Amino acid sequence: MYWEIKRLFNTFPRASASVRTMELTPVPAPKLTLPYDIIVYLEPKSVALIFGTSLQETRSVKEFLDLLKAIIMPAEFHLQTLQDRQVVDVEGTIRPGEYIVVGEAQKYRCSTMLTFRKEAALLRGTPSGKKRKLSTTDSPEGGRCHRDDSKESAGFKSRLIARDKGCVVCMAQNQDYDSMYLYEVDSEMFIGAHIFALQYYDLWDRREYSQIVVDPYSAAGVSTSSTNRQNTDTRRMNSIDNGLLLCVEHHIQFEAHLFSIHPDTHIVTSFHPRTRYINGLTITQPWSNGNTRYPPPHSTLLKDHFTSSIARWMLAASEEYEEDSLEDEDEIPEQSTIAV
């Protein structure tokens, strides 16, 4: 029996002494579409400084002009097509193409608008293209930055749930039941989003924003739990004046500035084709509570996010314009010192 098994074993093909390497073809790079389809020139032969998206030809000319007027000075102008100099009808939708600014002013120029990241980098004096590690606490004065697993942050989310009841964007889409925080498992599906991101704490300090927020639960020394534990976040970035309750998807988009909320009208403005389906929605939930213990988002903080969104997605001088991957949550990409 033994010799029979050995004979059969010897009939099997022997493996080569050398290991053969299987050659694989390279994985092709994805063919990405640019996030903009509109280019705006200030002069016929000038360098393109302003870009935009027609949101697949769903954005109105009026809305696009309003965005341009936040960038271009003076703000009295209209658009013509670059190629045939046809005046763009303000009653229609903006089409993909190249346009030129036309008006009575002798010269038009772009306002200086910076992203959060660029302005923070200028403040820190950090070199371009490098990253710096952040700790969970930033200074002896208290406060947290970027990734915040503190009890103050947990309380921040709890108060947003009490005020907003669910994802404020989904609720504006009339998805009331599905967008509300109802079950224990929903904790993983909703995020307390900071309008002014925690990672830019030093920029927050410079603007003295701890003095404008009014969330009573975020004041230093206030007891925020049944254990009588006192709040130690003296920076007050975890005030719900600086927050929105969002679902995971809309949190990612808001953090990447793919959309923003106008500080005065509370209307969603999309800056990227990915969020075209929510463009024009009116956010109402944070302002409908009426309870002074849960103040709505502060207009100054919303304005900062709105301005940063314009700087990122519409100004060519912003190094963040290219559609790249989101930054690592543990690191801050250092920023170029070139101002828009």
Side-chain angles (χ1 to χ4, degrees):
M1 184 67 178
Y2 168 80
W3 295 108
E4 182 65 19
I5 293 174
K6 185 174 182 179
R7 183 183 65 80
L8 291 174
F9 178 79
N10 290 334
T11 61
F12 294 153
R14 299 291 180 92
S16 173
S18 61
V19 178
R20 297 180 60 186
T21 302
M22 183 170 58
E23 295 183 1
L24 298 175
T25 57
V27 177
K31 296 181 179 179
L32 300 178
T33 302
L34 291 173
Y36 63 88
D37 56 11
I38 295 172
I39 303 176
V40 178
Y41 298 87
L42 300 183
E43 297 177 4
K45 296 182 180 180
S46 64
V47 176
L49 295 176
I50 304 171
F51 296 85
T53 173
S54 68
L55 302 179
Q56 298 187 356
E57 301 187 38
T58 62
R59 169 164 273 154
S60 70
V61 173
K62 183 180 182 303
E63 181 191 359
F64 190 68
L65 280 172
D66 286 341
L67 288 172
L68 292 181
K69 289 177 181 179
I71 302 171
I72 300 171
M73 298 186 299
E76 298 299 325
F77 59 83
H78 60 273
L79 291 179
Q80 290 183 356
T81 56
L82 182 65
Q83 185 173 3
D84 53 16
R85 298 303 178 88
Q86 294 295 313
V87 176
V88 177
D89 184 3
V90 295
E91 299 300 324
T93 56
I94 191 76
R95 292 182 174 275
E98 296 180 304
Y99 297 90
I100 186 170
V101 172
V102 178
E104 296 181 359
Q106 293 183 349
K107 187 177 182 62
Y108 290 95
R109 64 185 181 87
C110 289
S111 303
T112 300
M113 304 180 78
L114 303 176
T115 61
F116 282 141
R117 216 165 53 164
K118 176 173 286 187
E119 190 168 354
L122 291 173
L123 177 61
R124 295 164 183 159
T126 50
S128 175
K130 294 184 179 180
K131 295 184 178 182
R132 177 168 62 88
K133 281 283 186 180
L134 287 179
S135 62
T136 53
T137 56
D138 52 43
S139 72
E141 289 78 17
R144 305 277 171 164
C145 61
H146 204 24
R147 176 178 292 174
D148 186 2
D149 299 321
S150 66
K151 292 182 179 179
E152 284 86 0
S153 184
F156 168 75
K157 181 176 179 179
S158 297
R159 297 195 303 280
L160 286 175
I161 293 169
R163 187 193 71 188
D164 297 343
K165 312 300 183 186
C167 174
V168 299
V169 176
C170 292
M171 295 180 81
Q173 293 177 281
N174 296 320
Q175 300 175 7
D176 292 338
Y177 187 81
D178 290 338
S179 61
M180 292 184 69
Y181 192 112
L182 297 174
Y183 309 104
E184 185 177 353
V185 71
D186 289 347
S187 179
E188 300 297 324
M189 302 168 63
F190 292 89
I191 295 175
H194 290 84
I195 300 168
F196 199 107
L198 296 177
Q199 67 202 85
Y200 307 121
Y201 58 90
D202 43 0
L203 188 57
W204 171 282
D205 289 346
R206 184 179 186 180
R207 297 180 182 180
E208 299 182 340
Y209 281 168
S210 62
Q211 299 182 22
I212 69 171
V213 293
V214 296
D215 178 1
Y217 292 95
S218 69
V222 171
S223 176
T224 57
S225 70
S226 58
T227 59
N228 203 33
R229 185 186 59 84
Q230 291 187 340
N231 181 28
T232 59
D233 180 14
T234 57
R235 184 163 280 119
R236 302 188 71 181
M237 292 189 79
N238 282 317
S239 298
I240 63 170
D241 320 43
N242 186 35
L244 296 163
L245 190 65
L246 297 172
C247 65
V248 174
E249 178 182 1
H250 288 135
H251 175 257
I252 292 171
Q253 294 171 346
F254 186 76
E255 193 174 53
H257 294 81
L258 303 190
F259 76 89
S260 191
I261 300 172
H262 194 279
D264 300 322
T265 64
H266 309 156
I267 293 175
V268 172
T269 296
S270 172
F271 292 95
H272 195 281
R274 282 292 189 196
T275 54
R276 66 188 182 279
Y277 66 98
I278 59 174
N279 187 61
L281 290 177
T282 301
I283 306 300
T284 60
Q285 186 60 32
W287 289 270
S288 64
N289 187 286
N291 191 330
T292 57
R293 292 184 300 170
Y294 306 117
H298 200 288
S299 60
T300 298
L301 304 177
L302 286 174
K303 183 179 180 181
D304 283 351
H305 187 276
F306 196 84
T307 300
S308 183
S309 300
I310 292 176
R312 176 169 187 177
W313 294 108
M314 295 189 69
L315 291 174
S318 172
E319 83 296 337
E320 292 181 277
Y321 185 80
E322 294 185 2
E323 192 169 21
D324 52 4
S325 59
L326 296 179
E327 62 197 45
D328 181 11
E329 289 190 354
D330 284 324
E331 298 176 324
I332 290 182
E334 303 296 3
Q335 211 109 13
S336 170
T337 56
I338 301 175
V340 175

